[in-house]
C-alpha cells in the first residue's frame, strides 16, 4: 500500500509521541535512508540472511490437508528460519542497521518470546548488548523462550505494570529508549508504533512475500495463488506475506485475528474486526478501547497475538478494501494446531494456528482446486507448556 502522506497508510499511521522521542525517531529515519540502500549494507544483510538465517525458506505443498479440503494448501515455512520464526528477518536487519549507526545496545519487547529470542540472537551474532522487556504473565507462559534469551546473553526484564503482557512491555521499552537513546536502538518487533517503524519492519519482513511469489510462480508456471492467509497480532508476518501481492488485486489477502475464548463479553485481540480508531504507541490505528478511550485488556491463547492494537498499514489495507480480516477463537486455533501436527507432521506456533484454523473452517468459501498460501510464521515448541495445560497432551 502506498503512503500518500509521509508516515501514513491512508488515514492511519503518523508519529504521535512525546517530544523526547522525536530525536531518535528522526535519527532512525535518516539512517534508514542513508545506510540501508548502500551496497555494503545490502551485501552484508544478504549474506547473513542466506548463511545464518537460512533463507529462502521453503514453500511446502500440504498433500494431506489438500486432499482433505479439496483445495491446494501451501505453507510458507517461516518456522524453518533460524530461531524458529519470521521474527529473525526483522531483528537481523535492525541489529545490522544499529551497528552501522554506532549503537552498541539493543532493547526489545516481546510477547510470545520469539522476537526476544531473535533480538538476542542478532545481538550475540553482531556483538551487541541486549535487554528484552517481557510482561510477567508472558514470562511464565513462555518460559522456554525466556531460557533461550538468557542462554544467548540477553537480560530479560519482567514487566509487572498494567496487564503484564505485550502492551506493557512496549511501554517499558519506550521509557528505556528515551533514557538511553544515545547508545541504544529500540528493535521494535512488529509493524506498529510511530513512523518510521511500520515501514522499517515491513520492508525487512517483505522478503517472505517476495520469496513466496517467486517460489509459487516457479512451481505453477507463472500462475499467482488465489489467496494469502496470515495471522495478525501487531501484524509483521502478515504484512511481510501480503506486501508483494498487494498490487495483484486478483489475489485475496486474509488476515486472521484472535477472538479469545469467543464467549460474549470475553477479552480478545480482534482489533481490526472489533476495534475503533485511536492512537496507541505513537500511531493512529485501530485498537480495543472503552467508551472513554481507555485501552482495554486483550487476550489470546497465543501470546504473540495478545495485543490491543495493530499495525497502521493493516488498518489502511482494510479501509481501502484491499485486505479482509476475520477472527477465530482459542478452541478453533487449538484444533487447527492438532490437525497440522497429525496430518502433515508439522508442529505450528499457536499464532500461526489461527491462520490455519480460518482456512479449515472456511474452506467451502474457497473454490475447489484453488491454491491457498498460509504463512506458517513460527514453530510450536514454545507453546507446548500451554498445550499441555489446556489440552492435557
Amino acid at each position: 500500500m502506498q503512503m500518500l502522506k509521509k508516515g501514513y497508510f491512508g488515514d492511519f499511521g503518523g508519529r504521535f509521541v512525546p517530544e523526547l522521542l522525536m530525536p531518535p525517531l528522526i535519527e532512525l529515519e535518516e539512517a534508514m535512508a542513508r545506510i540501508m540502500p548502500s551496497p555494503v549494507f545490502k551485501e552484508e544483510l544478504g549474506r547473513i540472511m542466506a548463511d545464518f538465517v537460512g533463507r529462502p525458506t521453503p514453500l511446502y505443498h500440504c498433500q494431506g490437508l489438500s486432499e482433505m479440503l479439496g483445495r491446494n494448501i501451501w505453507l510458507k515455512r517461516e518456522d524453518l528460519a533460524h530461531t524458529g520464526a519470521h521474527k529473525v528477518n526483522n531483528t537481523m536487519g535492525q541489529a545490522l542497521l544499529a551497528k552501522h549507526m554506532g549503537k552498541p545496545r539493543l532493547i526489545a519487547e516481546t510477547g510470545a518470546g520469539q522476537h526476544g529470542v531473535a533480538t538476542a540472537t542478532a545481538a550475540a551474532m553482531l556483538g551487541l548488548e541486549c535487554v528484552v522487556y517481557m510482561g510477567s504473565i508472558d514470562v511464565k507462559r513462555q518460559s522456554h523462550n525466556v531460557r533461550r534469551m538468557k542462554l544467548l546473553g540477553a537480560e530479560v526484564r519482567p514487566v509487572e505494570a498494567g496487564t503484564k503482557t505485550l502492551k506493557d512491555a512496549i511501554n517499558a521499552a519506550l521509557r528505556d529508549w528515551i533514557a538511553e537513546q544515545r547508545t541504544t536502538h529500540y528493535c521494535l518487533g512488529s509493524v506498529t508504533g510511530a513512523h518510521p517503524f511500520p515501514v522499517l519492519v515491513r520492508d525487512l519482513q517483505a522478503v517472505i512475500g517476495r520469496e513466496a511469489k517467486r517460489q509459487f510462480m516457479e512451481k505453477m508456471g507463472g500462475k499467482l495463488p488465489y489467496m494469502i492467509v496470515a495471522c495478525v497480532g501487531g501484524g509483521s508476518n502478515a504484512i511481510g506475506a501480503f506486501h508483494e501481492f498487494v498490487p495483484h488485486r486478483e489475489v485475496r489477502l486474509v488476515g486472521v485475528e484472535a477472538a479469545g475464548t469467543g464467549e460474549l463479553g470475553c477479552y480478545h485481540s480482534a482489533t481490526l474486526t472489533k476495534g475503533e480508531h485511536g492512537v496507541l504507541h505513537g500511531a493512529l490505528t485501530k485498537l480495543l478501547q472503552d467508551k472513554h478511550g481507555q485501552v482495554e485488556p486483550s487476550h489470546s491463547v497465543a501470546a504473540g497475538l495478545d495485543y490491543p492494537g495493530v499495525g497502521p498499514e493493516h488498518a489502511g489495507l482494510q479501509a481501502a478494501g484491499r485486505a479482509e480480516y476475520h477472527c477465530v477463537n482459542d478452541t478453533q486455533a487449538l484444533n487447527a494446531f492438532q490437525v497440522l501436527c497429525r496430518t502433515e507432521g508439522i508442529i505450528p506456533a499457536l499464532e500461526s494456528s489461527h491462520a490455519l484454523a480460518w482456512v479449515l473452517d472456511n474452506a467451502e468459501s474457497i473454490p475447489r482446486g484453488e491454491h491457498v498460501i498460509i504463512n506458517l510464521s513460527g514453530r510450536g515448541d514454545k507453546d507446548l507448556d500451554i498445550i499441555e495445560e489446556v489440552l492435557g497432551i
Side-chain angles (χ1 to χ4, degrees):
M1 184 176 185
Q2 288 186 328
M3 289 190 295
L4 301 179
K5 186 167 60 171
K6 185 179 178 182
Y8 281 82
F9 305 92
D11 294 331
F12 301 94
R15 189 183 280 160
F16 300 85
V17 296
E19 188 175 346
L20 289 172
L21 271 177
M22 290 298 290
L25 287 167
I26 292 170
E27 180 188 24
L28 177 59
E29 185 179 10
E30 292 173 346
M32 288 167 57
R34 183 181 73 256
I35 296 169
M36 293 180 69
S38 71
V40 171
F41 182 89
K42 290 196 289 187
E43 188 280 329
E44 190 173 359
L45 182 59
R47 176 178 53 79
I48 290 170
M49 297 299 275
D51 298 341
F52 185 72
V53 174
R55 304 210 70 89
T57 58
L59 182 65
Y60 172 69
H61 184 255
C62 297
Q63 184 173 345
L65 273 183
S66 298
E67 291 177 356
M68 182 175 77
L69 298 177
R71 283 85 181 159
N72 287 288
I73 308 300
W74 301 78
L75 300 179
K76 182 57 175 160
R77 299 291 307 276
E78 292 302 292
D79 60 311
L80 295 180
H82 182 44
T83 74
H86 71 290
K87 293 293 187 181
V88 73
N89 303 324
N90 173 45
T91 62
M92 289 309 311
Q94 287 203 52
L96 184 61
L97 179 61
K99 189 165 187 176
H100 279 261
M101 293 171 68
K103 307 274 186 178
R105 180 174 180 264
L106 295 181
I107 58 172
E109 86 298 330
T110 196
Q114 285 299 126
H115 176 60
V117 170
T119 304
T121 298
M125 191 263 192
L126 293 171
L128 303 172
E129 181 186 350
C130 182
V131 174
V132 178
Y133 290 90
M134 190 172 190
S136 60
I137 288 176
D138 292 334
V139 168
K140 293 177 182 176
R141 62 178 175 174
Q142 295 292 342
S143 61
H144 172 74
N145 275 339
V146 173
R147 293 193 295 272
R148 293 172 73 194
M149 286 180 255
K150 291 179 177 179
L151 281 171
L152 291 161
E155 177 189 351
V156 180
R157 296 185 182 175
V159 177
E160 298 291 347
T163 59
K164 306 178 185 180
T165 55
L166 181 59
K167 171 179 69 71
D168 311 291
I170 293 175
N171 291 337
L174 287 170
R175 287 193 291 270
D176 185 320
W177 199 27
I178 289 174
E180 304 292 342
Q181 58 190 259
R182 186 180 63 82
T183 60
T184 298
H185 172 68
Y186 179 16
C187 188
L188 186 63
S190 196
V191 286
T192 54
H195 179 70
F197 278 115
V199 177
L200 172 60
V201 179
R202 188 272 314 278
D203 288 352
L204 291 170
Q205 291 291 5
V207 65
I208 299 171
R210 287 197 302 272
E211 287 180 5
K213 180 182 175 184
R214 183 183 70 248
Q215 291 166 325
F216 186 83
M217 293 179 75
E218 287 174 352
K219 294 174 184 289
M220 301 302 298
K223 180 181 177 180
L224 288 169
Y226 174 76
M227 178 185 288
I228 311 293
V229 185
C231 65
V232 178
S236 65
N237 94 89
I239 282 293
F242 291 173
H243 186 60
E244 186 71 15
F245 294 94
V246 168
H248 301 282
R249 299 195 69 87
E250 67 271 34
V251 179
R252 285 178 65 187
L253 306 178
V254 177
V256 184
E257 300 185 298
T261 63
E263 299 169 348
L264 184 65
C266 73
Y267 290 136
H268 56 82
S269 302
T271 309
L272 288 159
T273 49
K274 299 183 179 181
E276 298 177 355
H277 291 45
V279 174
L280 181 64
H281 295 135
L284 175 61
T285 184
K286 292 185 74 174
L287 63 141
L288 305 177
Q289 55 191 325
D290 63 21
K291 63 182 180 180
H292 303 294
Q294 297 300 306
V295 178
E296 291 190 320
S298 58
H299 165 76
S300 172
V301 70
L305 301 185
D306 193 348
Y307 182 62
V310 69
E313 188 167 5
H314 283 294
L317 287 170
Q318 182 190 46
R322 181 61 192 96
E324 57 192 91
Y325 296 88
H326 307 278
C327 55
V328 302
N329 62 41
D330 292 348
T331 299
Q332 292 170 292
L334 289 163
N335 175 67
F337 175 93
Q338 295 176 85
V339 168
L340 193 65
C341 288
R342 296 170 182 178
T343 306
E344 298 293 340
I346 297 171
I347 302 175
L350 283 174
E351 290 79 9
S352 314
S353 299
H354 284 70
L356 177 63
W358 186 87
V359 173
L360 292 177
D361 292 349
N362 292 275
E364 291 304 316
S365 70
I366 301 167
R368 294 190 68 85
E370 281 290 4
H371 296 264
V372 177
I373 296 177
I374 301 170
N375 192 34
L376 191 65
S377 57
R379 69 181 188 229
D381 309 43
K382 66 183 179 61
D383 296 317
L384 296 186
D385 288 345
I386 295 174
I387 296 299
E388 182 179 14
E389 178 183 346
V390 176
L391 298 179
I393 297 177

